Amino acid sequence: MQLSCYSNDFDNFIKAKILQIIKTPANFDLGSKLVLHQELVLPPFPSTTFNHFSDWECNPFGNRSWQWKLNWFAFIPGLIAYFDKSKDDMAIQLAVKGIKNWITRYIYSDKNHTFEFIWHDHGTALRAEQLVLFYYYYQQYYTKQSTQLESLTEVLQDTLEIHGEKLSSEVFYSSNTNHGLEQSRVLLLLSIVLKGPKATVWRQLAIERISNELKHAFTDEGIHVENSPAYHIFVFKVFINILHQYKNYLPENLNNKFSKISEKALIFITHIIRPDGNLPPVGDTEQLTSTDGYFHAYKDKEQYKNTLYSLRMGKQGLKPTVNNRVFPLSGYSIFRNFWPSQEHYDYPLHIIIKTGSLSHYHYHKDEGHISVFGAGEDWLIDSGLYNYNEDSDMRRYVRSRQAHNVVLFTDSDYSPDKNHRLSNWRITNYSENDSNPFVDMEINVIENIHQRRIVNFNALTSELSINDFISSNNGNEEDMIIQWHFPEDKKIDITEEEISISSTTGNKMTLKITGDKPDKIDVIKGIIGDTIYSCQSCTSNNYRPSQVILLKFDKRNILKTNCKFTLESYH
C-alpha cells in the first residue's frame, strides 16, 4: 500500500485538524515544556522528567491512563504547535525520534511484547491518527525534510498498514462502544490515506461499522447508552465530526439517521448541564464545563440555541421553555424550578435522578441516585469519576452503592449475572409539569429486593420529596440504610424534629423524615482507617472528603418512609 495525503476533500479536513492543533494555546505550552525544559506533560497529569522515549512502559504516576496517553503519542500535537510558532527544529526531531523509537521497539521487534498499550483498542486508533497528522504536517510545512522524508514515509507506510490491519480485525474490534466508534473512524481515515485494494475493503468495513455503531450508541430518546453525560457529549461530537469530515465517503441515509437523533441529543445536553455551567459528576463524568461543538451543524436549530443558552449560562442562545425532562427509556430525570436570566444564572434548583443503567460501560451502581444543586452550591452529591484504575480503592468506592444516594442492604446484593442489573429497573410513571414534576421508579437490581422510589419536586416551595417503599421478596429481615451524601463544607445538625444542613453562605436545607422512622442516624465523614465512607471526585485523579447521613433501619422486610428536603435560600 502507498501512503498519500493528496486528495482535495482529505486535504481540506486534515488541514482543519492541523489548524486546530496549532491554534490551541495549551498545545504550544506543552510542546515548549517538552523541548525547552525536558518536561513531559500529558494532561490532566502533572509534568514528569522527559526520558527521551526510552521507556514506553514506565508509569511515573501509577496510572494506566498516563501510559495510554504516552503510547498513543498524545505529545505530538504539542510538538507540532510549538514548532509552528517557534520554528525550533528540535521539536520536529523529538517527534521523529519518539515515533521511530516506538516503531523499532514494537513493530520491527521480534519480541513477544505483552504490554497492554501496544495494542489497546482505543489507543491504537488514536496513535494511527497522530501518525497521519504528523506525517501530513511534516511533508507540508517542515522545510528541512528532504533527506528524512523518504525514510520517514517508508516507516510510516508500513506502520499505518499494520495499524489498519489491526483495526480491521473482527477480533480486535470493540463493537458497540465508544472505543469501537473511534476504531471505525480511524480505519476510515486510513482507507483514505493509504492507497491500494486493502484500502477499498477497509473503507467499506469502516462505513458498515459506523452505521452499526450509530444504531447502538443512542436510545430512541437520543441519549448515549454508556451511563455518562460526558460520554454522551463525546460520542455525539465524534459522530458530528465523522459526518462532516467524511461526508463525501458516507451514504446519505447515515446522515438522515443521525439527524433524527441529534435534536434529541441536544435536548439532553441542555438539561443535564448544571446551573453553574458544569457537567454533573454522574457516572464517569468530570465536573467541568463543556465546549460548543455544535454550531456549524445546528446553528439554525432551536434545540441548539437552547443548548447554547445552557452552555453559556444565559449569555447567549435562546432560553428553553421547558423546565423538566424525563427520559423513561434512558433512565434519567432532570428537574429545575426555572430557567434564569444571566445575572442570577446559578440560582435555580437543579435535580438529577438516575433510575438505571443501559450498558456495562462506565457503569456505576447508582440505580435510584439523586443529585441536587441549588442557590449556587452543591447539596446532595454524586461521588464522581476519580480514574479508570480498577485496582484503586477510591475507584472501587466511587463506583459502588456506598458512594451514591441509594439504599444499602446488609444481606442482599446484585446478581452475579451482570445483565440482570440492566433489565430490572423501569420508570413506571412521571410528569414534566413545570411546578410539580415527579418520577415513579421500580428498581429490582438487588436480588430478592423490590424497591419503589417516587421523587416529587415542588418548584414553588423548593421541596423535594423522596418516598421509598421497599420489600423483601423472600420475607427475610435485614438491615437497610438510606444514604444522603453532602459536601464537606456543610454543617449537619440532628434534632428529633429534623436534620439541618447549613452552608457558610447562609443557605440551609432541612430534612424531615415521616413514615417509618430510622432506628439510628449517623453522620460519617471522609476516610476512617482503611475504609472510605464518603468522598467526592469532581476531576480526574483528585478527590476530597465529603460526608454522608446514614438513616439506619434495623431488621426489616418492609420499609415505607419519606424524606422531604427543603432548601431555604438567603437570595
Side-chain angles (χ1 to χ4, degrees):
M1 301 178 76
Q2 292 185 334
L3 178 58
S4 172
C5 289
Y6 293 101
S7 68
N8 289 335
D9 46 1
F10 175 81
D11 231 28
N12 288 334
F13 81 73
I14 211 75
K15 279 181 179 178
K17 284 178 173 287
I18 294 291
L19 189 62
Q20 184 179 15
I21 287 172
I22 292 169
K23 284 190 169 183
T24 302
N27 285 335
F28 175 84
D29 293 339
L30 295 175
S32 65
K33 287 178 180 177
L34 187 52
V35 175
L36 300 178
H37 306 290
Q38 293 75 52
E39 292 182 18
L40 179 61
V41 184
L42 302 175
F45 299 95
S47 67
T48 185
T49 303
F50 175 47
N51 62 6
H52 298 282
F53 303 113
S54 59
D55 184 3
W56 293 95
E57 300 177 27
C58 65
N59 194 1
F61 301 104
N63 194 297
R64 291 174 61 253
S65 293
W66 189 90
Q67 293 180 303
W68 173 69
K69 281 176 169 284
L70 177 67
N71 281 271
W72 67 253
F73 300 167
F75 52 85
I76 283 180
L79 293 174
I80 289 175
Y82 176 70
F83 172 79
D84 197 80
K85 187 173 181 179
S86 69
K87 304 306 178 190
D88 185 342
D89 191 56
M90 181 58 70
I92 295 296
Q93 296 309 314
L94 276 176
V96 171
K97 179 179 179 180
I99 289 168
K100 286 189 172 181
N101 182 291
W102 192 94
I103 291 171
T104 299
R105 179 165 184 180
Y106 296 119
I107 300 295
Y108 293 155
S109 170
D110 294 331
K111 294 181 181 178
N112 183 23
H113 296 283
T114 58
F115 180 48
E116 174 185 7
F117 294 108
I118 302 170
W119 298 118
H120 181 266
D121 57 354
H122 193 191
T124 298
L126 295 179
R127 181 171 56 245
E129 182 176 36
Q130 291 305 314
L131 291 175
V132 170
L133 291 172
F134 180 75
Y135 176 71
Y136 182 88
Y137 184 84
Y138 187 90
Q139 68 156 352
Q140 293 287 337
Y141 300 102
Y142 185 50
T143 58
K144 300 179 182 179
Q145 50 152 300
S146 56
T147 58
Q148 293 186 358
L149 181 58
E150 186 175 343
S151 169
L152 184 63
T153 300
E154 184 179 350
V155 169
L156 290 184
Q157 189 170 289
D158 291 345
T159 301
L160 289 174
E161 184 171 354
I162 290 169
H163 278 65
E165 292 282 7
K166 197 76 175 175
L167 292 172
S168 65
S169 165
E170 287 300 324
V171 175
F172 188 67
Y173 174 45
S174 299
S175 63
N176 295 335
T177 68
N178 71 82
H179 291 191
L181 176 60
E182 287 283 78
Q183 288 178 310
S184 305
R185 175 182 67 83
V186 176
L187 184 62
L188 181 56
L189 171 64
L190 293 180
S191 78
I192 300 169
V193 173
L194 294 167
K195 307 302 181 185
K198 284 183 184 177
T200 304
V201 175
W202 290 352
R203 188 173 306 173
Q204 189 57 43
L205 179 61
I207 292 170
E208 180 183 325
R209 286 178 175 179
I210 290 168
S211 181
N212 289 335
E213 290 295 335
L214 181 59
K215 289 178 185 177
H216 175 83
F218 298 93
T219 68
D220 289 343
E221 296 166 335
I223 296 177
H224 185 240
V225 300
E226 291 186 11
N227 310 305
S228 162
Y231 279 89
H232 172 90
I233 289 174
F234 167 68
V235 171
F236 184 43
K237 287 181 177 178
V238 170
F239 272 112
I240 291 173
N241 290 331
I242 288 173
L243 291 164
H244 172 67
Q245 294 167 352
Y246 299 94
K247 60 185 177 183
N248 293 330
Y249 300 93
L250 299 171
E252 183 62 28
N253 69 325
L254 189 62
N255 190 62
N256 294 335
K257 290 176 184 176
F258 185 63
S259 294
K260 294 177 181 178
I261 292 169
S262 59
E263 293 181 4
K264 298 174 182 178
L266 286 169
I267 289 172
F268 178 70
I269 296 169
T270 298
H271 287 267
I272 200 71
I273 294 172
R274 294 157 36 118
D276 62 354
N278 290 318
L279 288 172
V282 172
D284 285 345
T285 301
E286 292 183 84
Q287 190 173 300
L288 299 171
T289 58
S290 182
T291 57
D292 175 12
Y294 322 108
F295 173 78
H296 292 292
Y298 307 110
K299 61 183 177 181
D300 297 323
K301 295 280 189 182
E302 182 177 340
Q303 290 86 352
Y304 165 70
K305 294 175 184 177
N306 291 159
T307 299
L308 186 62
Y309 192 88
S310 186
L311 283 169
R312 297 287 184 262
M313 300 175 65
K315 296 174 183 149
Q316 292 176 263
L318 181 66
K319 182 187 293 189
T321 57
V322 175
N323 290 343
N324 308 303
R325 290 283 186 179
V326 178
F327 303 94
L329 301 178
S330 309
Y332 290 92
S333 303
I334 309 163
F335 302 151
R336 67 175 68 221
N337 48 358
F338 65 96
W339 285 97
S341 58
Q342 175 184 340
E343 54 186 335
H344 299 298
Y345 195 84
D346 67 350
Y347 178 66
L349 267 166
H350 185 247
I351 300 159
I352 299 172
I353 304 136
K354 184 82 157 48
T355 302
S357 295
L358 296 163
S359 72
H360 299 299
Y361 264 65
H362 305 290
Y363 169 75
H364 288 212
K365 296 178 179 179
D366 57 1
E367 294 91 356
H369 172 82
I370 301 164
S371 297
V372 178
F373 176 95
E377 58 187 315
D378 277 306
W379 296 94
L380 290 174
I381 58 173
D382 194 306
S383 292
L385 160 69
Y386 191 54
N387 60 30
Y388 296 104
N389 180 8
E390 303 302 338
D391 293 328
S392 160
D393 289 340
M394 186 58 66
R395 171 62 173 172
R396 285 195 289 265
Y397 164 76
V398 299
R399 296 184 71 187
S400 70
R401 289 184 68 82
Q402 283 77 9
H404 295 92
N405 296 318
V406 299
V407 185
L408 303 181
F409 304 93
T410 54
D411 299 322
S412 299
D413 204 346
Y414 290 87
S415 167
D417 177 9
K418 292 185 178 180
N419 289 322
H420 177 271
R421 64 192 65 170
L422 304 183
S423 57
N424 278 281
W425 61 267
R426 65 191 181 111
I427 292 175
T428 57
N429 197 10
Y430 66 91
S431 170
E432 296 176 333
N433 181 277
D434 268 0
S435 59
N436 193 205
F438 75 87
V439 60
D440 190 344
M441 305 168 278
E442 285 187 4
I443 303 170
N444 298 302
V445 296
I446 304 296
E447 285 193 304
N448 297 318
I449 295 292
H450 173 76
Q451 181 182 3
R452 182 184 180 195
R453 174 166 271 192
I454 305 173
V455 182
N456 284 276
F457 177 46
N458 189 323
L460 301 178
T461 60
S462 298
E463 292 177 343
L464 180 68
S465 175
I466 298 107
N467 284 283
D468 281 311
F469 304 92
I470 302 168
S471 59
S472 168
N473 293 335
N474 57 17
N476 292 343
E477 293 184 339
E478 62 182 292
D479 298 340
M480 304 179 185
I481 303 172
I482 298 177
Q483 299 187 122
W484 303 119
H485 291 266
F486 289 87
E488 184 185 28
D489 64 356
K490 300 296 187 287
K491 184 175 183 295
I492 298 175
D493 294 305
I494 302 174
T495 67
E496 289 187 7
E497 291 76 27
E498 65 181 24
I499 300 174
S500 172
I501 305 99
S502 303
S503 170
T504 56
T505 63
N507 298 323
K508 184 175 80 167
M509 179 175 275
T510 58
L511 166 58
K512 293 186 178 180
I513 304 166
T514 57
D516 291 347
K517 296 295 182 72
D519 297 289
K520 188 178 182 183
I521 301 174
D522 285 335
V523 177
I524 305 181
K525 298 182 180 181
I527 303 172
I528 301 176
D530 294 329
T531 304
I532 305 170
Y533 287 98
S534 190
C535 286
Q536 186 181 34
S537 172
C538 293
T539 57
S540 180
N541 297 314
N542 295 297
Y543 69 87
R544 62 194 180 203
S546 55
Q547 52 190 329
V548 58
I549 299 173
L550 303 173
L551 308 181
K552 298 182 176 181
F553 301 85
D554 297 337
K555 299 300 178 186
R556 309 289 179 107
N557 56 24
I558 294 176
L559 179 65
K560 298 179 180 179
T561 192
N562 172 267
C563 292
K564 180 178 285 187
F565 295 92
T566 305
L567 180 62
E568 301 171 11
S569 170
Y570 75 92
H571 287 286

